[in-house]
Amino acid sequence: MNKTVNINLANILFHIDEEAYLKMSRYLEAIKRSFANTSGSDEILRDIEARIAELFQEKMESERQVITLKEVDEVINVMGQPEDYMVDEDIFEDAPFDNATKTGRVKKLYRDPDSKFIGGVCSGLEYYLGIDALWIRIIFILLAISTGFGFIAYILLWILVPEARTTSQKLDMRGEPVNISNIERKVKEGFDDVASKVKNVDYEKMGDKVKSTSKSFADALGDIIMLFFKIIGKFIGILLILIGAVSLIGIFIGMFTVGILDMFHIPGLSLNDMVNSTDAPVWFVSILGLFAFGIPFFFLMYLGLKILVNNLKSIGNIVKYSLLGLWLLSVIGLSVLGIQQASAQAFTGYSSNTDQIYFDQGVDTLMITMKATDAYNISNNGGFYEMNIAYNENGERLLYTEDIRFDIKKSEDSLVHVKVRKDANGSSYEDASQRAANINYSYTVNGNNLALDNFLTTAAENKIRDQEAYITIYVPVNTTVSLNESTEDHIGWYTKNDKEVYRRDMYQYLWKMNDNGVLQCMNCPENMGDQMNRNQNGHIIINEDGVDIDIKDENENVRVKINEKGVQVKANDN
């Protein structure tokens, strides 16, 4: 059992093993003694500690990890021992720089503040690309003049690329190893450069410059531009946070609430099970949806926070990759369930039967009504495909819909025929046909009255598969048809009449079937068809045969007909 110590290294807190702490203390003390009489020793020590702290952070997998002798030895191996080099100023100045060491490290892109004209972008690119800054500046100027892209690219790099402020960053910019030797050399270069400038400075000229301005125009302009973009960046950050937070709250409430309610079988949600063909629990699908849609909005909100808060603590790679994996699994899961759901309705099947209706006394007038029922307790929960949950007198759950349509056509004999076609969807044609056959629909005949049910039912285990029923009534020629008002919402599109009366208004008149299969109005006002279809220059008729436009005037006759054959135009028809 080893004792641990908390240390503050470059303003960063670390937990370190006692033996490792003692070795690191001796190491830092040896470095301090080595630079005791060196100019800029304080800055050298600060940069060395900052570099050591950076190396420790790279090796830590979590905040609570304890630094051991292994990590300390690895850091010392990177930084080097004080006795491995000499700090004598004469040797330092005369010793050639080892280019092999310089090129052995991957460079990082920074803006160079020491050689800048405006923002240090070009001088930073010089180190990164190995191209003279002069040529880079010329390229930016040419691109700015020709396309404007050079100006935009420079501004973006100025905003996005950090400035090399510390000695470690400047060494990274040059591609040099960040160790004790290079840190010392770089700091001494800075001090020597300052000393040289102090010796050679024109104090009179400098005094005049200080009196006139404390900043160059480029620096002042740069500060203004940076402030402008920082304000825009903050605004974007706030916007991202709002979008992410509001979306997360909405997704959480929607998905999580539905899942929890279904888990406890709250009344009103039973219809979800009727739609779901995958048999996956709704609460499970809700959780998948929460992760699939919520995680991207969480990262969007996190990005906004990173923009607003410069020193926002990272959530860590473990959390990031875990969330990414969870998101991928959720998307894959939803995709699989979606494919299964779609395939459950990929085919349409039907079941059909036709009955002949005999009337004891014959039939001159056929009365058609739609019959409702109060035998079912219908749950008003919104429904899918106009389908609702209903309960019969035994409390058994059924699927119920009033989406029924009927059409009236000419019979080929002297009898009334009723054809009932039931349709449903399924995962295969056989499955769809079986679900269609399981639809319950009926009608009754009482005297000359044909009463059609205005609803259909099917067992709950058949689930919602777009079940529908279509009724076709075949009426003999010269038979009168009387429609009850209850048929208003159920007459189909294929019932033809000679007055082009809108199907929902047909119940207001008496009709007789003619030889052409068209219902003739027996009590409609005179010229009713002309009033509906004709104007002073011709007529426009829209029905199941298409669109027939006949335009006339004194000089020409133009007829335009649009149907399944296409568009037909005929002019000057005399």
Side-chain angles (χ1 to χ4, degrees), residues 181-215:
S181 179
N182 284 331
I183 289 174
E184 180 212 6
R185 180 180 57 80
K186 194 64 184 170
V187 172
K188 283 180 62 62
E189 284 179 359
F191 273 90
D192 292 341
D193 185 52
V194 170
S196 176
K197 289 180 180 179
V198 170
K199 292 178 182 178
N200 299 322
V201 71
D202 187 340
Y203 290 100
E204 183 177 354
K205 184 178 179 181
M206 183 62 69
D208 294 338
K209 186 176 180 180
V210 171
K211 290 177 182 178
S212 61
T213 180
S214 59
K215 270 190 175 183

Side-chain angles (χ1 to χ4, degrees), residues 87-363:
V87 296
D88 184 84
E89 294 186 3
D90 294 333
I91 297 177
F92 178 86
E93 292 173 356
D94 296 337
F97 180 66
D98 187 0
N99 288 323
T101 305
K102 178 177 179 179
T103 58
R105 180 176 172 82
V106 178
K107 299 176 183 179
K108 293 183 180 180
L109 181 58
Y110 287 97
R111 290 185 290 113
D112 183 11
D114 299 328
S115 304
K116 70 177 182 179
F117 280 115
I118 299 177
V121 173
C122 296
S123 53
L125 288 172
E126 177 183 14
Y127 289 109
Y128 191 74
L129 301 176
I131 302 174
D132 191 275
L134 176 62
W135 295 109
I136 297 175
R137 292 186 177 102
I138 292 173
I139 292 172
F140 272 111
I141 292 172
L142 292 176
L143 289 175
I145 294 174
S146 59
T147 64
F149 176 75
F151 176 76
I152 297 173
Y154 190 92
I155 294 298
L156 289 175
L157 289 171
W158 194 355
I159 296 170
L160 299 176
V161 176
E163 187 178 66
R165 298 181 181 274
T166 66
T167 304
S168 297
Q169 291 173 339
K170 292 177 181 178
L171 291 172
D172 278 333
M173 178 179 67
R174 296 171 180 265
E176 301 175 19
V178 186
N179 52 31
I180 296 175
S181 179
N182 284 331
I183 289 174
E184 180 212 6
R185 180 180 57 80
K186 194 64 184 170
V187 172
K188 283 180 62 62
E189 284 179 359
F191 273 90
D192 292 341
D193 185 52
V194 170
S196 176
K197 289 180 180 179
V198 170
K199 292 178 182 178
N200 299 322
V201 71
D202 187 340
Y203 290 100
E204 183 177 354
K205 184 178 179 181
M206 183 62 69
D208 294 338
K209 186 176 180 180
V210 171
K211 290 177 182 178
S212 61
T213 180
S214 59
K215 270 190 175 183
S216 68
F217 175 76
D219 288 337
L221 180 62
D223 290 342
I224 294 173
I225 294 174
M226 290 299 294
L227 178 62
F228 174 73
F229 282 104
K230 283 181 180 179
I231 293 173
I232 294 179
K234 298 298 182 183
F235 175 76
I236 294 174
I238 294 173
L239 191 63
L240 292 178
I241 291 173
L242 289 176
I243 294 174
V246 172
S247 301
L248 274 176
I249 293 172
I251 293 171
F252 183 83
I253 293 176
M255 299 287 188
F256 191 72
T257 302
V258 170
I260 289 296
L261 292 179
D262 180 78
M263 190 182 297
F264 291 99
H265 301 289
I266 303 299
L269 290 177
S270 55
L271 198 62
N272 295 327
D273 182 58
M274 297 296 97
V275 180
N276 180 19
S277 63
T278 64
D279 295 325
V282 175
W283 61 265
F284 176 71
V285 178
S286 298
I287 291 176
L288 290 181
L290 178 64
F291 290 146
F293 297 103
I295 290 176
F297 283 108
F298 168 77
F299 278 108
L300 191 68
M301 184 179 67
Y302 178 72
L303 176 60
L305 288 172
K306 290 284 285 185
I307 293 174
L308 284 180
V309 184
N310 294 329
N311 59 344
L312 181 68
K313 195 171 185 180
S314 175
I315 60 176
N317 290 333
I318 295 177
V319 176
K320 289 178 183 177
Y321 291 127
S322 298
L323 290 176
L324 178 60
L326 195 59
W327 177 77
L328 288 174
L329 291 175
S330 301
V331 170
I332 293 172
L334 288 178
S335 300
V336 171
L337 294 177
I339 292 171
Q340 292 179 356
Q341 183 73 21
S343 63
Q345 306 214 34
F347 295 86
T348 299
Y350 71 93
S351 173
S352 177
N353 66 284
T354 303
D355 297 327
Q356 295 181 347
I357 309 299
Y358 293 94
F359 297 93
D360 295 336
Q361 304 298 327
V363 56

